[in-house]
Every structure is written in structure tokens, then in C-alpha cells.
Amino acid sequence: MIRDWSASAAGALRGSPAPVTHTLVVLCCLVFLLGPASGLNPAHGSEEELLAAQRAYFRRWGVIPADLFEGSPGALLTPATALFVHGGWVHLLGNMLFLHVFGVMTEARMGRVRFTVCYVGCGYLALLGYAAAHAGSGQPLVGASGAISAVLGAFLFLFPRARVTSLLPFLFFLPVRFPAWVVLPLWAALQWAAAGQAADGPGVAYLAHLVGFGLGLGYAWLRFGRAAAVSRRGAAPGPGRGTAARTRPVDRE
């Protein structure tokens, strides 16, 4: 449903191909299905053997802050590899839903190259920022939420008046529609509040969400500035709740 925008302009963006967004979704799903976190690949064994394989997998491809700042060349690659690793089904599906909902229009507006730079670059820096704040931690961090949060930040700048469908607990989870300039800052505020209460153990890396959101917003502002005003009206459905989920062996962002 289009609000305060021409149907032709809205249809052009919403109907535009988004090869980068779709490729990222497919890659994340394939990595998850083939890895031990899905529990579907018999090569990783079962029960204790599977748990050991998962722990080794997360430590190999995830970000370990304590290792990252020891100067290991291999560790410097982990903020990029961790973007494609997820700790469980809920973690994966929630992230991919957000990426698909907000990524298609953002990629169509930004263009493939700029969108890729925003996603990978801001996602890398979001994990790096989290690692810097927990430099002594030996807990692996995995997930694309930092990069997806950057997409949300860019979306907010490019489409602040887009209507976002949200599920509010105090309204019995009935779907309601609010402008992005209401929903996304509220989401960021909730991440900020949660980050202040987060423990050091396994869980959700809210700080990575905040860093990614701010970087994505700043990137869109630097790249588009006042030119973004022509595309700041539209509509996009999407969930109004965070995507991150709890995990036993790793931090998720």
C-alpha cells in the first residue's frame, strides 16, 4: 500500500530486482544449512559430537575479541566471515526476514555497489566496535545483525515516511503501521536500553546493532545527502521487533 507517493515511483523501487540482497540471503542460508549450527548435516555427528563441532565452528569463523586485538592476520578476517554465520534457526530466520524487508528498497535506491559497501563495510565495523568494547572477551560473536542494522539506518534516512508494520505486545501483537521515522528510532532506543543491561556472557550483542545502525545512517547521509529527499516517501511492510535471539555457545548480533 502506497502512502503520499506516486504509484509508479513506489512500484519502480519495490518491484526492482535486488540481486545483492537476494544473494546475501541465499549465502547466509546455505552457510547455515551446511554448517553444524543447523543440525542437519550428518557429517557433524549428533549430541556431544555435534555440540563440539558447533563450538569449533563458531570459534573458527566468529569474532573473538581477545584474539582480534592480538594482531593475528587471520583474526582480522573474522568480522567479515562472521556476517554469514548464525547460531540457530531463529537467529537466521529473523535476520533474513529483516534483510529481505528492508534490503530490497534500500538496494534499489542506493544501487548495487553502494549497498554492498554499506552492508559489508558497516557490518565489519559494527563487529569491530563490539569487539573493541569487549576486548578481553573470549566469547565468539556471529551473525549479520550488525550489517542488517546498517541497512535499517540507511532505510531510515532514505525512506523516513515509509509505513512499517509493527507488532506491539501491549496491543496483543496486533499489526499496526507507523512511519519509519517512528519505528526505527524506537527500535534503536530499545537496543540502547538493552545494551546497558546486557551481561558479558552468551546472548545478544546489542552494541553491534547500535554501531551498525549509526554507521548505516551516516553512510546514507554522506552518500546521498539532500538528494535523498526525492525518494523519502513510500511504504514498506516489516516487523517492528528485533531479530536477535538468545544462544548458548556464542554471542549473536
Side-chain angles (χ1 to χ4, degrees):
M1 183 178 298
I2 306 304
R3 306 280 182 88
D4 300 323
W5 205 24
S6 70
S8 59
L13 276 184
R14 293 176 63 83
S16 297
V20 176
T21 298
H22 296 149
T23 299
L24 289 170
V25 170
V26 170
L27 282 177
C28 287
C29 290
L30 285 177
V31 168
F32 179 77
L33 291 174
L34 295 176
S38 69
L40 298 179
N41 191 338
H44 299 296
S46 59
E47 298 182 354
E48 292 299 324
E49 186 180 6
L50 177 61
L51 290 176
Q54 290 175 350
R55 287 191 291 267
Y57 180 74
F58 295 138
R59 293 194 66 83
R60 179 177 180 182
W61 301 111
V63 178
I64 302 177
D67 294 344
L68 185 63
F69 293 102
E70 287 181 354
S72 170
L76 293 176
L77 294 176
T78 56
T81 59
L83 295 177
F84 299 93
V85 178
H86 291 83
W89 284 96
V90 174
H91 190 205
L92 172 75
L93 295 177
N95 274 352
M96 294 306 99
L97 176 62
F98 263 49
L99 176 56
H100 174 72
V101 167
F102 291 96
V104 171
M105 285 181 66
T106 305
E107 179 183 347
R109 177 66 183 90
M110 280 187 161
R112 299 173 186 177
V113 174
R114 290 176 180 174
F115 179 80
T116 302
V117 171
C118 177
Y119 185 90
V120 177
C122 294
Y124 184 101
L125 292 176
L127 294 182
L128 195 64
Y130 177 89
H134 301 80
S137 174
Q139 193 72 42
L141 173 67
V142 300
S145 296
I148 296 170
S149 296
V151 174
L152 266 62
F155 185 95
L156 174 61
F157 181 81
L158 296 171
F159 307 102
R161 299 183 184 180
R163 295 284 176 170
V164 178
T165 299
S166 306
L167 301 177
L168 302 180
F170 58 84
L171 292 179
F172 304 101
F173 296 99
L174 294 176
V176 292
R177 292 172 66 81
F178 294 105
W181 65 266
V182 173
V183 175
L184 295 181
L186 176 60
W187 174 86
L190 293 175
Q191 303 304 300
W192 177 274
Q197 301 176 1
D200 293 333
V204 181
Y206 295 105
L207 180 59
H209 298 182
L210 286 169
V211 174
F213 185 82
L215 289 172
L217 184 64
Y219 178 84
W221 177 74
L222 288 173
R223 296 298 298 180
F224 294 91
R226 297 176 66 87
V230 299
S231 294
R232 282 188 171 180
R233 294 179 179 180
R241 305 188 66 193
T243 62
R246 295 181 180 177
T247 176
R248 293 189 301 273
V250 294
D251 284 334
R252 294 181 184 177
E253 57 76 30

